[in-house]
Amino acid sequence: MTTDALAAFNGHKSLLFAIAYRMLGTVMDAEDMTQETFLRWQKCDHDKIDSPKAWLSTVITRLCINHLKSARVQREEYVGPWLPEPLVVDPAANPAENARLSDSLSVALLVLLESLSPTERAVFVLREVFNYEFGEVALIVEKSEANCRQLLGRARQRVAERRPRFKSSAEQQRRLVEAFLKATTQGDVAGLMAILSEDVAFVSDGGSGTRTMRRPIVGSEPVVRLLMHGASREQAASTVSRMVSVNGRPGFVSYRGLTPRAAMAFETEGGRIRAIYLIANPEKLRRLPAAVPVQAVRSAGQ
């Protein structure tokens, strides 16, 4: 492969990973699809390709669609709710980038996209997140432009039905997560009730190897009971939670010793927390850093 061809791939590599992660929801699968795209790029005739971006986007999207079709059966057999693998960074590292990506990376949106067909998901991601023209999207997914518009319309409607009506600012979200940590740390039931919506949902993904809730818990009172009594005193005393950005929004990771035990993400609306996502599946925590350079806070919530 020529130097120019390698440079062309590297110039689009971050885009390819971004498409694949939003399509698949796991870092490992996104990396695999990116690597497979690179292998195909190595073997193709670069002189016959007018637009490397279009060619690479087409390959990785079709790979992801095929993977989703094969993975759907596995996810239907998944133990408990499925949540995406968290992308965790220091919130102070690049706040502008976190804000720009937060909507399209949020755990809530990626869960919503799971309800779409693989092709609907591809059309939504390419058009809504990456602003591909309908003509480009149609060529990539091998549908007519009219069909793509219909697919996007259905996808938008399904996503809009479950999105919050009133968005919280990044500062509001941060304050709510800090208040959540403080309340769970101090066992402050009243403080916790004050920041949760009445119909708050607690969704946990532990896979088959952990003792997490197999079904979502809905309602502020049962969620508070779960948070206040969900861990033994020994576990709570040995757990440290660190504020981080989880998929572009304020959240935290809980550690016992140097080992990540869970990542928690939040969905907020109108100054309250409307959904709590607990990702405790060890397979989805393997890539989290063993230490995060931010202030640690003791948490009784895990």
Side-chain angles (χ1 to χ4, degrees), residues 4-5 8 12 41 44-58 136 139:
D4 288 345
H12 297 295
W41 178 248
C44 73
D45 186 348
H46 304 112
D47 293 333
K48 295 182 179 180
I49 296 174
D50 294 328
S51 171
K53 178 185 176 183
W55 191 95
L56 292 167
S57 299
T58 299
E136 297 175 298
L139 289 173

Side-chain angles (χ1 to χ4, degrees), residues 122-159:
V123 171
F124 184 90
V125 168
L126 292 171
R127 178 63 183 161
E128 292 290 279
V129 179
F130 296 103
N131 297 313
Y132 281 69
E133 297 296 332
F134 275 110
E136 297 175 298
V137 175
L139 289 173
I140 290 173
V141 301
E142 300 180 288
K143 302 287 185 182
S144 69
E145 287 191 41
N147 197 346
C148 287
R149 291 178 188 276
Q150 291 176 341
L151 291 172
L152 180 62
R154 289 201 299 265
R156 279 175 173 168
Q157 182 177 357
R158 294 174 72 175
V159 169

